[in-house]
């Protein structure tokens, strides 16, 4: 049995989300380490909220990074085996790189705070937008975006599963693309309540700020291969990893291809490492082969641990 770990990004956060893992000293120590680096009490923010505070991009990104790394460390401390592959959805790619020892948690938590602020600053409020297109092929979504652009930017931002593609760009172009997508047969086209058009061409200014920050951070060759979002590739060279993280900010998250790549490399189980079960659902809809599980609380962590130990014995 070959298994992989995947790390969630924005959208999986909730007030009190770490309470599901019980009183874990490993998890608490991870939050203390991240808080010390950032100069802000992430544990209190996570535990007390309010939800509106957690939903702010500049808070969500460091919180979800820390949560994913904390659950990974809890898994290792409990005797969990190291997976053959890793990946993360958008922000989750940073969690994967920390778990794979390519980035330190102290550096990564500051990087994602800067990334979040840069993304927020890149586009004036109300200028950009995002929408989820349901039930339409990637080719037809691309056609709708191309026809809707009219001199503005709009395109695929998250290729989440065969029936769910998120688009992003200028607000007007996104609205036009939604109407065109519905005329082409989309079941639904839902505007998303986000603060910026993530993973769109409008994020290039944010990417340049991120490039400068990454140049000042130590990046190492991952000890576990990480499949990246932008190329669906396993990179070992630190310079290439930096460049891929920069391009990821303004390029689509190719999640369907990531899951297919894992399956093609013999992965039979994909485990979501962190709060929530968003990626577990996406994995199930992307490929029929690999089993999808989640370490969403202490009970599921123990269950997957026992299952993995039994199969690896």
């Amino acid at each position: 049995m070959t298994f992989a770990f995947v790390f969630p990004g924005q959208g999986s956060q909730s007030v009190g989300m770490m309470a599901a893992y019980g009183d874990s000293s490993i998890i608490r120590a991870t939050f203390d380490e991240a808080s010390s680096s950032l100069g802000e009490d992430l544990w209190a923010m996570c535990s007390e909220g309010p939800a509106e505070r957690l939903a702010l991009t500049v808070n969500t990104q460091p919180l979800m990074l820390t949560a994913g790394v904390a659950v990974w460390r809890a898994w290792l401390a409990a005797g969990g085996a190291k997976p053959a592959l890793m990946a993360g959805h958008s922000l989750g790619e940073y969690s994967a790189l920390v778990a794979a020892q390519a980035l330190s948690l102290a550096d990564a938590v500051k990087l994602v705070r800067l990334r979040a602020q840069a993304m927020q600053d890149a586009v004036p409020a109300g200028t950009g937008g995002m929408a989820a297109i349901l039930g339409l092929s990637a080719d037809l979504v691309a056609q709708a975006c191309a026809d809707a652009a009219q001199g503005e930017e709009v395109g695929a931002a998250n290729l989440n599963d065969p029936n769910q593609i998120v688009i992003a760009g200028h607000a007007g172009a996104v609205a036009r693309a939604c109407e065109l997508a519905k005329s082409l047969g989309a079941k639904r086209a839902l505007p998303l309540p986000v603060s910026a058009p993530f993973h769109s061409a409008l994020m290039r200014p944010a990417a340049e700020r991120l490039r400068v920050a990454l140049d000042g951070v130590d990046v190492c060759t991952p000890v576990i291969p990480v499949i990246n979002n932008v190329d669906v590739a396993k990179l070992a060279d630190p310079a290439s990893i930096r460049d891929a993280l920069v391009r990821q900010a303004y390029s689509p998250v190719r999640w369907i291809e990531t899951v297919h790549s894992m399956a093609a490399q013999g992965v039979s189980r994909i485990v979501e490492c962190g709060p929530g079960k968003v990626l577990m659902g996406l994995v199930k809809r992307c490929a029929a082969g690999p089993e999808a599980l989640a370490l969403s609380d202490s009970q599921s962590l123990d269950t997957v641990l026992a299952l993995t130990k039994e199969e690896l014995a």
Side-chain angles (χ1 to χ4, degrees):
M1 186 273 297
T2 300
F3 71 103
F5 264 41
V6 294
F7 293 82
Q10 290 185 230
S12 293
Q13 72 278 358
S14 62
V15 178
M17 61 187 177
M18 303 312 296
Y21 298 96
D23 187 19
S24 167
S25 59
I26 297 291
I27 286 176
R28 188 59 186 269
T30 303
F31 269 81
D32 288 346
E33 180 183 343
S35 297
S36 177
S37 177
L38 204 59
E40 186 169 9
D41 191 342
L42 295 177
W43 184 261
M45 188 191 302
C46 175
S47 302
E48 301 166 10
E52 294 77 12
R53 189 180 181 199
L54 267 64
L56 293 173
T57 299
V58 292
N59 292 331
T60 307
Q61 294 202 22
L63 280 173
M64 287 306 301
L65 166 78
T66 305
V69 173
V71 176
W72 163 251
R73 290 179 177 178
W75 166 263
L76 291 180
K82 292 183 178 179
L85 294 169
M86 288 181 170
H89 190 283
S90 186
L91 163 71
E93 188 169 314
Y94 289 80
S95 306
L97 288 168
V98 173
Q101 299 176 36
L103 286 171
S104 72
L105 177 59
D107 284 339
V109 74
K110 287 186 283 193
L111 265 178
V112 300
R113 169 61 63 84
L114 178 143
R115 175 181 185 264
Q117 189 62 60
M119 287 178 158
Q120 194 65 64
D121 295 343
V123 181
T127 301
M130 299 183 78
I133 310 298
L134 307 181
L136 195 65
S137 71
D139 287 344
L140 288 177
V141 170
Q143 179 184 325
C145 289
D147 292 345
Q150 298 178 21
E152 294 186 320
E153 296 285 354
V154 62
N158 299 306
L159 297 148
N160 285 332
D161 70 41
N163 291 304
Q164 183 194 121
I165 296 174
V166 174
I167 62 173
H170 286 105
V174 169
R176 291 190 296 271
C178 285
E179 293 307 310
L180 285 170
K182 286 187 283 189
S183 73
L184 290 171
K187 292 180 180 178
R188 300 183 75 183
L190 305 172
L192 299 177
V194 295
S195 56
F198 305 119
H199 299 291
S200 75
L202 298 180
M203 291 292 104
R204 284 183 178 272
E208 289 310 309
R209 287 176 61 183
L210 185 58
R211 185 187 302 278
V212 172
L214 278 161
D215 283 344
V217 169
D218 287 333
V219 178
C220 304
T221 299
V223 298
I224 300 169
V226 175
I227 300 175
N228 70 8
N229 288 178
V230 67
D231 302 313
V232 194
K234 297 178 290 187
L235 301 177
D237 174 55
S240 298
I241 292 170
R242 286 189 181 93
D243 179 65
L245 289 174
V246 171
R247 290 183 291 117
Q248 188 226 51
Y250 59 81
S251 303
V253 174
R254 298 163 62 185
W255 194 251
I256 304 168
E257 293 171 87
T258 298
V259 175
H260 287 174
S261 175
M262 287 182 171
Q265 293 178 69
V267 169
S268 55
R269 177 175 295 139
I270 298 176
V271 181
E272 181 173 3
C273 185
K277 300 179 181 179
V278 171
L279 297 186
M280 186 173 78
L282 296 184
V283 167
K284 288 178 178 178
R285 294 190 290 274
C286 285
E291 180 185 14
L293 298 170
L295 307 181
S296 55
D297 53 31
S298 57
Q299 182 177 350
S300 59
L301 193 151
D302 290 342
T303 299
V304 178
L305 184 67
L307 190 63
T308 305
K309 282 184 174 179
E310 180 181 321
E311 293 184 353
L312 292 176

